[in-house]
Amino acid sequence: HYSPDLDYGRKDAIFVPFFGVPAATIPGLSRIARATGAVVIPALTLWENGRYVLRFHPAWDDFPTHDVEADTRRMNVWLEARIREAPEQYFWVHRRFKTRPEGEKGVYDA
């Protein structure tokens, strides 16, 4: 398990939208699924009634494709939908957009 919505820096990242903002995103999910033939079964941990609950979602059909960038965008779209379902549970203080595309002003710069 790794958290695909974290900004791990520029190394090995591609910039795909996350809530409409280009975000340095590791395309590892697509690459690992392709290399291993693994089925991707997304899961999400939520805080409910004083305890953590792990919720599994349906396996993704047609994943991975031969387009790593499209696969990575799909992952972010899925994450965005889950965050919209329970926005109070997302770790909003994480600096998700700290790594910017070359020449682009920082999101957190004043």
Side-chain angles (χ1 to χ4, degrees):
H1 170 267
Y2 77 100
S3 295
D5 62 324
L6 297 180
D7 184 333
Y8 294 102
R10 188 171 305 284
K11 186 177 184 220
D12 297 323
I14 60 175
F15 286 90
V16 293
F18 189 70
F19 287 106
V21 179
T25 307
I26 300 297
L29 183 63
S30 176
R31 291 180 177 156
I32 291 168
R34 181 176 300 106
T36 64
V39 173
V40 172
I41 302 171
L44 188 68
T45 304
L46 296 170
W47 182 254
E48 295 179 358
N49 301 316
R51 62 190 177 121
Y52 287 104
V53 177
L54 180 60
R55 300 248 183 251
F56 289 93
H57 292 259
W60 286 355
D61 292 327
D62 304 318
F63 191 90
T65 67
H66 293 292
D67 185 340
V68 172
E69 186 173 330
D71 291 345
T72 306
R73 279 194 314 267
R74 179 179 178 184
M75 176 187 70
N76 277 0
V77 166
W78 186 89
L79 287 168
E80 289 172 13
R82 301 300 74 75
I83 292 166
R84 283 185 176 101
E85 290 171 358
E88 72 284 358
Q89 301 240 359
Y90 189 66
F91 190 61
W92 292 104
V93 296
H94 168 61
R95 293 172 49 102
R96 179 63 183 98
F97 307 106
K98 67 184 174 191
T99 304
R100 305 308 312 136
E102 289 294 331
E104 189 172 306
K105 184 180 178 194
V107 172
Y108 305 105
D109 296 341

